[in-house]
RNA sequence: GGCCACGUAGCCAAGUGGUAAGGCAGGGGUCUGCAAAACCCUUAUCGUCGGUUCGAUUCCGACCGUGGCCUCCA
């Protein structure tokens, strides 16, 4: 597999440190407020990536993947937000983590194998800081802060492709109290009154932002591991500092072998930010669009490129999803010969993903397969083998192709029973599905009597109630519109 | 200001030194009582200007534009 490595800036052939086993760490969220579309995007991308690595259809038959993704559950933002809300910081993050995990399930995101939290790894972090100090790359101040000595790291800046002079020119503001050098960053922050704190050799305090990720990734994946991922906005300073911290102790080139960064989400061509007021939360996204449509939208772009979220693009993704749903519909058992479609598309799919995880190209193969299935089905071919391949490939990308995604629980039972009454249909119970079936039976009867006015009226009424009716050779099919 | 990406049809988005995947939308058909879905056909000289080359959208340069980062945003 070839992947763009931020470290080298080039596409490299990825070889795991240990054959058949892959360790990957992805920077997770800081759960101080609701997650937004960008979080869904990074999570979807890495979810699909890991599903692919594990897939037995990947070259080599799939790998055993250890996926670690953290929660930064204590930092300035958490403390500030908790103070604003007058809440305990830990309560706040617990609530936000619970919400995010619920949303992750809604988005069909696989759970990471390990979800380390900073507050549960203070000892690991303190030990990591001690080793950095021992190696000569860290120093404590009289105030009880500990800083990383950036100038001690010869190749500082190698990940983000900058040098210390450049960075120094860009620094704004004051050097900071007790720092030897303006670019030095905090490994440990001395406690301030009222803030959560833990004991350490340098006095009570809490970890700096970057140390947690290098300490926890190495804790679970070893000093050297395969892949470290995250949003492109984390390259500097976060990931740069992680590299500096880790390699100060474990040596140059020892940390993550490949750095993968996903492009950021824009909203209508603009940066999504609170100051612009155009942030789309995951909650809003899930209320507006189907999970599979969201995933399709994300994966229709290449992971490294910025992705522009627009209503139009989302609508297009939704229609594309409908197309895939139509192809896997349970009407594939034609009387004719079995379809031979699938293997060629599968090969294209693999080829695309092997080439820097090109999900757009992989999806093109999937859509081509969908077209072939539809065409062959129309011709009476038994397309079930091809449908199985389509389901397999989309499953690798994490699409569920679950038609009930549209939310039948959202059906308006009251409106439906009124309809049933208007068309003089006995609907039995209040069950929405039963009512719809009864209405469709009434409509079918009308059609057989050539009473198309009534048939069309029923269809129109159902459409008003959010039910779309389509006639097929095998009877009417309905679905909840969205 | 510095560093780094990117700029492909109405929209989204792949890709290649030899005249450009896929999705959505549009137009024309087939099918259908009608519709929907599906299927078939159809819609681009790849930001601008130079250069290298037999030939560039693909390589190089400049310019314009968009985006990211420049100490705590996935």
């Amino acid at each position: 597999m070839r992947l763009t490595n931020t470290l080298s800036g080039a596409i490299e052939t990825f070889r795991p440190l240990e054959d058949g086993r892959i360790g990957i760490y992805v920077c997770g969220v800081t759960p101080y407020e609701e997650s937004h579309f960008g979080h869904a995007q990074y999570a979807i991308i890495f979810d699909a990536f890991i599903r692919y690595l594990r897939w037995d259809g990947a070259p080599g038959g799939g790998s055993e993947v250890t996926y670690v993704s953290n929660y930064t559950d204590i930092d300035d933002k958490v403390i500030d937000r908790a103070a604003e809300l007058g809440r305990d910081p830990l309560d706040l993050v617990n609530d936000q983590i619970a919400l995010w995990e619920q949303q992750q399930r809604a988005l069909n995101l696989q759970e990471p194998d390990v979800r380390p939290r900073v507050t549960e790894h203070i000892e690991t972090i303190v030990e990591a800081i001690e080793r950095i100090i021992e190696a000569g790359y860290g120093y404590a101040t009289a105030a009880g802060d500990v800083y990383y000595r950036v100038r001690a790291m010869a190749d500082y800046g190698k990940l983000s492709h900058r040098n210390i002079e450049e960075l120094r020119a860009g620094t704004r503001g004051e050097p900071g109290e007790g720092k030897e050098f303006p670019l030095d960053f905090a490994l440990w922050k001395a406690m301030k009154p009222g803030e959560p704190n833990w004991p350490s050799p340098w006095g009570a305090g809490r970890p700096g932002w970057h140390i947690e990720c290098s300490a926890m990734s190495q804790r679970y994946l070893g000093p050297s591991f395969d892949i470290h991922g995250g949003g492109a906005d984390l390259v500097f300073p976060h990931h740069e500092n992680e590299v500096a911290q880790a390699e100060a102790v474990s040596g140059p080139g020892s940390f993550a072998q490949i750095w993968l960064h996903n492009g950021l989400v824009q909203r209508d061509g603009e940066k999504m930010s609170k100051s612009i007021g155009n942030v789309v939360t995951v909650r809003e996204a899930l209320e507006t669009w189907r999970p599979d449509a969201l995933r399709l939208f994300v994966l229709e772009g290449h992971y490294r490129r910025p992705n522009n979220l627009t209503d139009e693009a989302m609508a297009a993704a939704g229609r594309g999803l409908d197309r895939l749903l139509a192809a896997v519909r349970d009407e594939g058992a034609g009387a004719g010969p079995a379809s031979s479609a699938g293997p060629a598309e599968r090969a294209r799919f693999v080829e695309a993903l092997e080439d820097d995880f090109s999900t757009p190209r992989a999806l093109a193969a999937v859509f081509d397969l969908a077209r072939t299935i539809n065409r062959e089905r129309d011709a009476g071919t038994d397309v079930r083998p091809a449908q199985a391949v389509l389901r397999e490939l989309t499953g690798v990308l994490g699409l569920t192709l679950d038609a009930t995604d549209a939310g039948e629980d959202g059906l308006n039972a009251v409106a439906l029973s009124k309809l049933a009454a208007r068309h003089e249909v006995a609907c039995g119970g209040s069950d929405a599905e039963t009512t719809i079936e009864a209405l469709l039976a009434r409509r079918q009867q009308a059609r057989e009597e050539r009473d198309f006015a009534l048939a069309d009226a029923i269809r129109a009424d159902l459409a008003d109630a959010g039910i779309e009716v389509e006639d097929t050779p095998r009877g009417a099919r309905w679905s909840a519109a969205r």
Side-chain angles (χ1 to χ4, degrees), chain A residues 62-249:
Chain A
S63 303
E64 192 181 312
V65 177
T66 304
Y67 173 23
V68 183
S69 191
N70 67 294
Y71 287 120
T72 301
D73 62 353
I74 185 71
D75 84 334
D76 292 353
K77 292 195 298 290
V78 170
I79 290 169
D80 292 348
R81 175 54 56 89
E84 275 172 43
L85 299 173
R87 297 190 59 183
D88 176 68
L90 217 64
D91 283 346
L92 173 66
V93 297
N94 283 338
D95 284 355
Q96 292 301 328
I97 287 173
L99 175 62
W100 172 230
E101 292 192 345
Q102 179 196 324
Q103 292 171 336
Q104 288 183 70
R105 286 189 291 275
L107 290 165
N108 195 32
L109 296 165
Q110 294 185 310
E111 276 183 28
D113 299 295
V114 188
R115 286 171 294 179
R117 293 173 57 157
V118 176
T119 56
E120 292 168 0
H121 292 77
I122 300 293
E123 264 184 57
T124 301
I125 291 167
V126 167
E127 284 164 18
I129 296 172
E130 284 180 312
R131 285 197 290 273
I132 290 169
I133 294 174
E134 281 162 26
Y137 290 86
Y139 57 92
T141 68
D145 295 309
V146 181
Y147 289 106
Y148 184 93
R149 186 175 281 127
V150 164
R151 281 177 303 177
M153 177 55 67
D155 53 8
Y156 184 82
K158 69 178 176 178
L159 179 69
S160 54
H161 305 289
R162 291 161 218 224
N163 60 56
I164 289 181
E165 279 318 305
E166 253 169 51
L167 288 165
R168 190 182 187 179
T171 51
R172 12 170 143 116
E174 67 295 341
E177 325 76 42
K179 278 192 192 181
E180 292 178 356
F181 186 69
L183 293 176
D184 289 354
F185 57 89
L187 297 170
W188 185 262
K189 295 185 167 191
M191 76 166 281
K192 292 180 192 148
E195 288 183 359
N197 63 87
W198 291 264
S200 84
W202 319 283
R206 58 188 170 89
W209 178 37
H210 317 295
I211 188 64
E212 88 224 36
C213 281
S214 50
M216 297 195 297
S217 60
Q218 293 190 308
R219 158 79 176 71
Y220 290 102
L221 298 172
S224 294
F225 55 93
D226 298 301
I227 298 171
H228 191 130
D233 52 346
L234 296 180
V235 175
F236 189 90
H238 187 55
H239 289 162
E240 190 71 61
N241 290 348
E242 279 190 58
V243 173
Q245 290 160 348
E247 298 193 353
V249 173

Side-chain angles (χ1 to χ4, degrees), chain A residues 35-45 230-233 261-274 276 278-282 285 289 294 297-299 301-311 313-314:
Chain A
S35 46
H36 59 251
F37 198 95
H39 299 118
Q41 164 144 308
Y42 96 79
I44 286 169
I45 288 168
D233 52 346
H261 290 102
N262 64 275
L264 307 184
V265 175
Q266 294 168 31
R267 172 66 173 168
D268 298 322
E270 281 188 305
K271 176 179 181 167
M272 212 167 70
S273 80
K274 267 169 278 180
I276 298 174
N278 60 354
V279 173
V280 176
T281 65
V282 172
W289 301 296
L294 292 167
F297 165 73
V298 169
L299 297 179
H302 187 91
Y303 76 91
R304 294 183 56 230
R305 294 195 40 186
N307 210 1
N308 187 17
L309 176 63
T310 64
D311 291 347
M314 274 310 309

